[in-house]
């Protein structure tokens, strides 16, 4: 085991070093499945550039028109021994010249989705793409149904459309979109007429020595393929959030964010397992970039006054949302889907390590959890339940699992659900390798052969999906409850897929197809019990929960990265999320593991996992007590957890949420990224370093310490942690439901709920109740 972890650590170190080189050393060739920087195509002097210039036509009754695009090239320029480039008008030399347009008029379309949402599509070619909305895996089934059945047409009555010689204007009660005719601009305004953002035009360069490329698209000299680059203004003091499970600072202004699924080897770099092409601004708007192609979002990194959205896609298909964070998250998840409610047992403790190797070892863990009175509901077998470690063949090792069905039944009788690890890659030594290749169920290269040495399941192929789901169904029928959906970040970028698309468009979609295939077979085999444990994701994956934060370092940096990642993920439409308490890579130092526990148990889902030992009784008696106390905290709070989870699924909100989601009018709340709201009423501030206290920012109002009852005013406060090593505060006026302690969620006594009022100034307290089997959430006031 020690040798395996040394090897894994070395691989991680080498990969991280290589990825770091890509970011800093232009001389290093691109490494497979490292992040793609799409901005480089827009600095290439061999490419042809087309700049959005004017609205050449528009039919207000249909919402369809054309934009005139002026042809440019980038011209090198020397100024006092400094070389740069300027965009310069260009006359084409294409032959035959009568067959092509120097400055083409290309289609744009505006579609109204809801009072807070509209959709803008712009083409860079006269060839219109086929309508794929009805088959789009990013869209929720409910949204597709609206599109197909004309339900979106009802939004027409919520918008007023007018035209003047200067502009076409779409206006609702929540904001407006102006399409300026010349110079062409998209101008987004709030309900009071304040400009929130607008696109840039070439004339905006007149007042600056920096000749920034405005809203444009590029035709590459290498192959004539096209990519579009929408460019919007970035206001002073503007802040941008979202973009998936990003581990860098929550506010993306000043950053260059690559929306490209990769394996960053942990939450300490700028790579992402779960990028999402969606973001929103503190100014009251959000944008969903409806694409699966890579996107590089330059949020004021190269020019402080512009959001430059370098897309791999040749089409811009944007949904623009108006409102505060809660409004925008609700609107975005109306399009891409909301997380379904998960079974109660999933909110309990998941115990794991890398890895349990045998039936006896698994049963020993189950017995020790009960012996040590640690409330728990799930035991996970990681990579070692096959005959050969890491070689996925969907069968328990016959040598080490003498009777897996009996084991699963025994665990079920003890109140444990069982989770198994697997992955979608098959090495040449895997027993299924030949079957997959001979059956054409793998992703192919340009010759029809293998892009990699491994066979990668082509999950755009219905035949592959059926083969895969049949294998999973066999495990579920034996008594397995949940499957770990590991990896999924390495779909071949140069691959050819059954869908007819290349890797440029399928690479980022792969996690979504993977999540979907796995979640749906579990839900089919166990109705209303659908759940997975996934590492990778894309827009729409929130419909197939749940996801965890990847392979964190067992350091304070790993803790910070996971917290930032979870908050950012929640700001991208995902209600449920987890992380490996204590970190993953090596045995966790006891101090870090101890401080990580409250964050783990006060997350929607809770798992101990990583290099052994993760089991508290193998660490120390005092640590076992600390682990037990944090677990008991969550199990007593389970009525609160369950009701808040249900509310999140109805509104597209995260359980682990940034403070400003609850307090959007508190400027200080937008600055905090090392605290969070656990649901609507409980604030959690983990101890990010060794010690027993920390400085916290508290939004305006009174806050009551959950552990000792002390009352704090809003603002910055130095607060001492309680017996559980974290700052846990309750919002003034909260009514929090508790239940007697149970060792497993199916033994919770829902008829013995105790309501605890947390009141400083508030005369009345409010809470919510939602129990298994309830149809809707009840509001309780006392």
């Amino acid at each position: 085991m020690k040798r395996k972890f040394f090897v894994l650590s070395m691989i991680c170190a080498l990969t991280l070093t290589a990825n770091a080189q890509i970011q800093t050393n232009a001389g290093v060739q691109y490494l497979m499945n490292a992040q793609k920087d799409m901005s480089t195509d827009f600095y290439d002097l061999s490419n042809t550039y087309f700049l959005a210039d004017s609205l050449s036509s528009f039919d207000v009754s249909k919402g369809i028109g054309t934009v005139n695009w002026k042809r440019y090239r980038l011209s090198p320029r020397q100024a006092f021994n400094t070389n740069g480039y300027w965009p310069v008008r260009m006359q084409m030399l294409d032959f035959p010249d009568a067959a092509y347009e120097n400055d083409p008029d290309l289609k744009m379309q505006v579609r109204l989705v809801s009072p807070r949402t509209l959709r803008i599509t712009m083409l860079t070619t006269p060839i219109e793409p086929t309508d794929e909305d009805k088959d789009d895996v990013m869209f929720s089934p409910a949204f597709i149904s609206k599109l197909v059945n004309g339900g979106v047409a009802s939004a027409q009555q919520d918008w007023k459309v007018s035209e003047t010689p200067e502009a076409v204007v779409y206006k609702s009660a929540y904001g407006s979109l102006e399409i300026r005719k010349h110079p062409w601009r998209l101008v987004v305004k709030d309900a009071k007429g304040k400009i929130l953002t607008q696109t840039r035009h070439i004339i905006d360069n007149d007042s600056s020595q920096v000749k920034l490329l405005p809203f444009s698209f590029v035709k590459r000299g290498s192959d004539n393929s096209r990519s579009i680059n929408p460019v919007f203004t970035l206001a002073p003091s503007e802040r941008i959030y979202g973009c998936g499970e990003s581990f860098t600072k929550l506010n993306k202004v000043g950053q260059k964010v690559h929306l490209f699924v990769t394996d960053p080897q942990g939450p300490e770099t700028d790579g992402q397992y779960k990028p999402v092409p969606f973001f929103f601004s503190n100014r009251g708007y959000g944008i969903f970039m409806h694409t699966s192609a890579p996107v590089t979002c330059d949020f004021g990194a190269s020019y402080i006054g512009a959001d430059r959205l370098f897309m791999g896609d040749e089409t811009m298909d944007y949904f623009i949302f108006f409102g505060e964070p809660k409004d925008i998250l609700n609107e975005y998840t109306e399009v891409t889907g909301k997380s379904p409610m998960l079974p109660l047992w999933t909110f309990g403790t998941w115990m794991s390590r890398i890895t349990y190797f045998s039936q006896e070892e698994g049963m020993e863990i189950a017995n020790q959890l009960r012996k040590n009175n640690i409330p728990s509901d799930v035991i996970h077998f990681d990579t070692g339940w096959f005959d050969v470690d890491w070689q996925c063949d969907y069968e328990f090792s016959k040598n080490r699992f003498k009777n897996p069905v009996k084991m699963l039944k025994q665990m079920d009788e003890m109140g444990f659900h069982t989770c198994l690890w697997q992955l979608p890659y098959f090495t040449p030594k895997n027993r299924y390798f030949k079957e997959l290749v001979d059956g054409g169920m793998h992703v192919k290269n340009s010759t029809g052969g293998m892009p990699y040495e491994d066979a990668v399941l082509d999950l755009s192929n219905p035949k592959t999906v059926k083969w895969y789901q049949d294998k999973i169904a066999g495990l579920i029928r034996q008594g397995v409850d949940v499957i770990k959906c590991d990896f999924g970040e390495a779909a071949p970028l140069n691959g050819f897929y059954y869908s007819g698309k290349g890797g440029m468009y399928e690479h980022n979609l792969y996690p979504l197809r993977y999540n979907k295939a796995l979640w749906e077979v579990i839900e089919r085999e166990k109705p209303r019990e659908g759940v997975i444990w996934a590492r990778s994701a894309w827009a729409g994956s929130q419909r197939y929960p749940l996801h965890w934060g990847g392979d964190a370092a067992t350091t304070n940096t790993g803790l910070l990265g996971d917290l930032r990642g979870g908050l950012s993920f929640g700001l991208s439409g995902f209600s449920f999320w987890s992380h490996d308490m204590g970190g993953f890579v090596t045995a966790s130092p006891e101090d870090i593991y101890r401080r990580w526990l409250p964050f783990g148990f006060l997350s929607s889902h809770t798992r101990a996992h990583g290099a052994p030992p993760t089991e508290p009784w193998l660490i120390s008696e005092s640590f076992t007590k600390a682990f037990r106390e944090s677990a008991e905290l969550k199990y007593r709070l389970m009525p609160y957890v369950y009701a808040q989870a249900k509310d999140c699924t109805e509104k597209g909100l995260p359980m682990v949420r940034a403070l400003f989601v609850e307090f959007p009018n508190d400027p200080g709340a937008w600055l905090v990224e090392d605290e969070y709201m656990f649901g609507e009423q409980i604030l959690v501030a983990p101890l990010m370093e060794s010690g027993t206290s920390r400085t916290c920012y508290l939004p305006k109002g009174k806050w009551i310490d959950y552990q000792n009852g002390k009352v704090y005013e809003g603002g910055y406060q130095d607060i001492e942690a309680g017996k559980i090593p974290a700052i846990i505060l309750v919002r003034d006026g909260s009514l929090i439901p508790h239940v007697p302690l149970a060792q497993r969620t199916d033994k919770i006594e829902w008829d013995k709920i105790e309501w605890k009022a947390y009141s400083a100034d508030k005369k009345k307290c409010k809470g919510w109740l939602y129990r298994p089997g309830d149809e809707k959430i009840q509001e309780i006031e006392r």
Side-chain angles (χ1 to χ4, degrees):
M1 291 297 294
K2 288 183 178 179
R3 180 181 180 276
K4 179 170 73 172
F5 279 101
F6 172 76
V7 172
L8 284 173
S9 298
M10 289 301 297
I11 291 170
C12 291
L14 290 170
T15 307
L16 283 171
T17 303
N19 286 344
Q21 286 179 318
I22 290 170
Q23 304 304 315
T24 59
N25 185 348
V28 174
Q29 193 170 3
Y30 176 75
L31 296 180
M32 184 169 66
N33 290 319
Q35 295 183 87
K36 289 288 289 183
D37 185 346
M38 301 310 299
S39 69
T40 57
D41 288 325
F42 290 83
Y43 298 98
D44 190 333
L45 302 186
S46 71
N47 292 340
T48 303
Y49 297 80
F50 294 85
L51 280 52
D53 185 67
S54 59
L55 189 68
S56 45
S57 68
F58 200 84
D59 186 335
V60 173
S61 66
K62 296 180 179 179
I64 296 174
T66 57
V67 173
N68 182 252
W69 299 78
K70 300 298 186 189
R71 185 180 295 242
Y72 279 75
R73 61 184 173 86
L74 293 185
S75 178
R77 175 180 182 265
Q78 175 184 292
F80 293 101
N81 301 312
T82 297
N83 287 340
Y85 62 85
W86 278 11
V88 176
R89 281 285 278 140
M90 177 184 180
Q91 181 61 43
M92 71 176 188
L93 300 175
D94 298 357
F95 181 83
D97 57 0
Y100 306 102
E101 296 291 336
N102 193 74
D103 302 325
D105 291 330
L106 299 170
K107 182 179 177 179
M108 76 165 291
Q109 183 175 9
V110 177
R111 284 167 281 187
L112 308 175
V113 178
S114 78
R116 292 186 183 273
T117 305
L118 46 76
R119 181 181 184 183
I120 305 167
T121 306
M122 300 188 68
L123 305 184
T124 63
T125 170
I127 306 301
E128 291 198 33
T130 56
D131 183 10
E132 297 179 337
D133 281 357
K134 68 180 186 306
D135 300 316
D136 195 301
V137 290
M138 285 181 276
F139 289 156
S140 73
F143 183 68
I144 291 174
S145 179
K146 277 187 177 182
L147 292 174
V148 172
N149 299 316
V152 178
S154 62
Q156 301 285 343
Q157 63 190 15
D158 300 311
W159 293 82
K160 294 181 179 179
V161 187
S162 60
E163 183 175 15
T164 69
E166 291 77 32
V168 176
V169 181
Y170 289 81
K171 189 172 185 178
S172 80
Y174 302 103
S176 66
L177 171 72
E178 288 185 15
I179 308 171
R180 301 264 177 93
K181 294 183 178 180
H182 190 78
W184 179 87
R185 292 187 196 276
L186 299 176
V187 183
V188 180
K189 297 183 178 181
D190 67 13
K192 296 180 179 179
K194 176 184 176 180
I195 294 177
L196 303 178
T197 189
Q198 59 184 319
T199 56
R200 283 183 60 96
H201 189 276
I202 188 68
I203 66 170
D204 297 330
N205 287 337
D206 292 351
S207 59
S208 172
Q209 287 197 104
V210 178
K211 305 306 179 186
L212 187 71
L213 269 175
F215 196 115
S216 58
F217 73 85
V218 63
K219 185 173 75 170
R220 294 177 182 83
S222 59
D223 59 6
N224 276 7
S225 63
R226 304 173 185 224
S227 289
I228 195 164
N229 175 212
V231 180
F232 291 84
T233 57
L234 184 67
S237 300
E238 185 166 2
R239 305 175 71 83
I240 299 291
Y241 297 87
C243 292
E245 189 194 47
S246 173
F247 309 119
T248 57
K249 283 187 171 295
L250 289 186
N251 175 20
K252 300 308 173 194
V253 172
Q255 300 183 45
K256 200 173 184 180
V257 182
H258 302 294
L259 302 181
F260 182 85
V261 175
T262 190
D263 178 358
Q265 303 291 309
E268 299 88 26
T269 74
D270 63 347
Q272 292 191 62
Y273 303 105
K274 310 173 192 65
V276 178
F278 161 78
F279 65 88
F280 64 89
S281 165
N282 64 332
R283 291 170 67 80
Y285 72 92
I287 295 177
F288 168 42
M289 299 170 281
H290 177 222
T291 182
S292 59
V295 182
T296 292
C297 300
D298 183 329
F299 294 118
S302 61
Y303 186 81
I304 63 173
D307 288 335
R308 309 173 72 190
L309 308 174
F310 299 99
M311 302 180 65
D313 208 324
E314 66 177 25
T315 299
M316 184 197 91
D317 189 20
Y318 279 13
F319 289 76
I320 297 181
F321 312 106
F322 295 89
E324 293 185 339
K326 284 187 176 182
D327 302 317
I328 292 171
L329 287 170
N330 184 58
E331 292 292 313
Y332 167 66
T333 53
E334 284 294 298
V335 174
T336 58
K338 291 178 166 59
S339 298
M341 186 60 179
L342 290 174
L344 175 64
W345 57 266
T346 70
F347 296 94
T349 308
W350 298 49
M351 180 54 67
S352 176
R353 65 156 67 174
I354 182 166
T355 174
Y356 303 133
F357 282 102
S358 68
Q359 182 169 332
E360 289 73 18
E361 194 173 9
M363 291 306 304
E364 173 65 11
I365 296 299
N367 289 324
Q368 286 293 337
L369 285 166
R370 295 294 180 240
K371 178 181 176 181
N372 284 279
N373 294 315
I374 294 172
S376 45
D377 277 81
V378 185
I379 292 176
H380 170 68
F381 290 85
D382 213 62
T383 64
W385 61 281
F386 320 108
D387 257 339
V388 180
D389 194 13
W390 293 90
Q391 289 290 337
C392 175
D393 63 3
Y394 308 107
E395 291 188 10
F396 286 95
S397 168
K398 291 180 174 58
N399 296 321
R400 290 177 276 109
F401 292 83
K402 300 299 183 183
N403 193 337
V405 173
K406 179 181 178 182
M407 178 194 75
L408 294 169
K409 185 177 180 181
Q410 288 177 318
M411 286 194 170
D412 181 67
E413 290 170 350
M414 296 176 69
F416 289 109
H417 296 258
T418 306
C419 179
L420 299 179
W421 176 94
Q422 52 84 70
L423 82 170
Y425 316 142
F426 294 78
T427 69
K429 293 183 178 180
N430 189 287
R431 59 182 289 195
Y432 289 118
F433 180 83
K434 188 175 187 304
E435 179 182 344
L436 290 168
V437 173
D438 291 347
M441 292 182 279
H442 64 295
V443 179
K444 300 173 179 62
N445 63 13
S446 58
T447 69
M450 302 276 293
Y452 302 161
E453 292 175 274
D454 294 355
V456 177
L457 292 179
D458 183 354
L459 294 171
S460 74
N461 185 344
K463 178 182 177 182
T464 309
V465 172
K466 183 181 185 306
W467 181 91
Y468 174 64
Q469 290 184 334
D470 286 347
K471 294 291 186 287
I472 298 298
L475 294 168
I476 302 303
R477 290 165 190 165
Q478 290 181 58
V480 175
D481 296 284
V482 56
I483 301 292
K484 182 174 175 179
C485 190
D486 208 357
F487 293 91
E489 303 92 358
L493 194 59
N494 62 342
F496 288 76
Y497 294 76
Y498 180 88
S499 66
K501 295 181 178 180
M504 180 66 78
Y505 289 86
E506 282 290 344
H507 173 89
N508 283 338
L509 273 187
Y510 196 88
L512 175 54
R513 295 191 189 279
Y514 183 26
N515 297 168
K516 181 176 186 288
L518 183 54
W519 194 91
E520 287 183 344
V521 67
I522 296 174
E523 175 66 14
R524 186 173 70 229
E525 295 294 321
K526 298 169 68 71
R528 295 178 297 282
E529 292 280 308
V531 62
I532 62 175
W533 191 274
R535 189 172 77 171
S536 57
W538 186 251
S541 285
Q542 68 270 14
R543 303 194 304 271
Y544 313 109
L546 62 101
H547 298 78
W548 99 98
D551 302 341
T554 49
T555 62
N556 289 333
T557 301
L559 173 61
L560 175 61
D562 259 348
L563 178 52
R564 282 178 174 172
L567 290 172
S568 186
F569 199 47
L571 297 173
S572 306
F574 287 75
S575 294
F576 303 126
W577 173 83
S578 188
H579 46 100
D580 294 342
M581 292 188 297
F584 170 82
V585 179
T586 60
S588 184
E590 186 172 336
D591 170 63
I592 289 172
Y593 199 170
R594 191 181 291 260
R595 288 184 284 110
W596 208 310
L597 289 174
F599 173 36
F601 281 99
L602 296 178
S603 295
S604 75
H605 290 79
T606 303
R607 184 174 78 156
H609 179 69
T614 58
E615 302 80 9
W617 57 89
L618 297 178
I619 297 174
S620 71
E621 185 176 338
S622 66
F623 182 78
T624 302
K625 181 181 178 183
F627 193 105
R628 182 187 303 115
E629 287 169 347
S630 287
E632 290 175 348
L633 168 69
K634 186 173 189 180
Y635 276 69
R636 287 192 176 101
L637 278 171
M638 199 59 76
Y640 173 82
V641 173
Y642 201 60
Q644 291 292 318
K646 178 62 174 175
D647 186 61
C648 287
T649 65
E650 294 180 350
K651 299 174 182 176
L653 294 174
M655 280 288 284
V656 172
R657 67 186 66 161
L659 267 58
F660 64 74
V661 175
E662 286 299 322
F663 303 95
N665 298 316
D666 184 331
W670 291 82
L671 306 177
V672 178
E673 57 182 47
D674 60 356
E675 307 169 24
Y676 63 96
M677 295 297 296
F678 182 50
E680 188 174 334
Q681 296 177 304
I682 296 177
L683 184 151
V684 182
L687 297 178
M688 305 304 294
E689 298 181 87
S690 297
T692 59
S693 66
R694 58 162 288 177
T695 300
C696 302
Y697 178 81
L698 308 182
K700 185 179 179 181
K702 297 285 181 65
W703 295 85
I704 299 96
D705 193 307
Y706 181 83
Q707 301 193 70
N708 61 29
K710 186 175 179 179
V711 177
Y712 294 92
E713 294 281 353
Y716 286 97
Q717 299 281 359
D718 291 327
I719 303 177
E720 191 77 19
K723 179 173 65 172
I724 292 175
I727 313 303
I728 308 170
L729 307 175
V730 183
R731 201 171 177 175
D732 187 17
S734 297
L735 195 61
I736 306 293
H738 294 70
V739 287
L741 179 64
Q743 290 297 304
R744 43 196 270 194
T745 55
D746 64 346
K747 297 297 184 181
I748 289 175
E749 298 176 281
W750 291 92
D751 59 341
K752 295 183 179 180
I753 290 175
E754 177 188 359
W755 292 92
K756 294 185 180 180
Y758 293 82
S759 176
D761 292 340
K762 300 290 185 181
K763 303 299 182 185
K764 289 186 176 181
C765 293
K766 184 168 64 174
W768 290 268
L769 177 63
Y770 181 76
R771 296 161 297 196
D774 284 354
E775 292 185 5
K776 60 181 181 179
I777 303 171
Q778 301 176 51
E779 183 177 308
I780 309 294
E781 190 172 287
R782 293 180 183 175

